Amino acid sequence: SNAVRYGGSAAVSVIEQPRQVILRVEDDGPGIPEDRIGSITEPFVRGESSRSRATGGAGLGLTLARAVADERGGSLVLTNKPAGGLVAEIRLPR
């Protein structure tokens, strides 16, 4: 929902590799400032700066995504696209 809310749309794909499966969500929004990529998955940290629930969530979505990936021996990887937007990947071992 973040990709749609902040990026206008989302492209979702599943990439199968020999040792892992990647669930990828891409958007064309503003991305995440590079200095915040490392902390954005912490509980209650929001990418959107207003404190209004009407304009953003509680700051738990990426925290939960990271926890689900970690629990299954995988990882959550967030990368800004050079032309703008964000790529969020849950990488899980096969």
Side-chain angles (χ1 to χ4, degrees):
S1 66
N2 284 349
V4 172
R5 180 181 292 140
Y6 300 111
S9 65
V12 179
S13 57
V14 176
I15 302 158
E16 294 186 62
Q17 297 180 338
R19 294 186 176 203
Q20 68 180 346
V21 174
I22 301 170
L23 172 62
R24 177 180 289 166
V25 179
E26 295 185 61
D27 69 46
D28 294 321
I32 299 171
E34 288 297 329
D35 63 337
R36 298 193 63 210
I37 288 259
S39 65
I40 200 73
T41 61
E42 295 301 318
F44 307 110
V45 173
R46 296 175 53 200
E48 194 273 323
S49 61
S50 89
R51 297 180 63 79
S52 169
R53 292 277 294 157
T55 59
L60 292 174
L62 291 174
T63 302
L64 294 172
R66 183 189 68 194
V68 167
D70 288 350
E71 182 178 285
R72 287 159 177 77
S75 61
L76 172 65
V77 178
L78 304 173
T79 309
N80 285 311
K81 297 187 327 187
L86 186 74
V87 177
E89 294 181 340
I90 293 182
R91 299 177 181 181
L92 299 172
R94 289 193 83 132

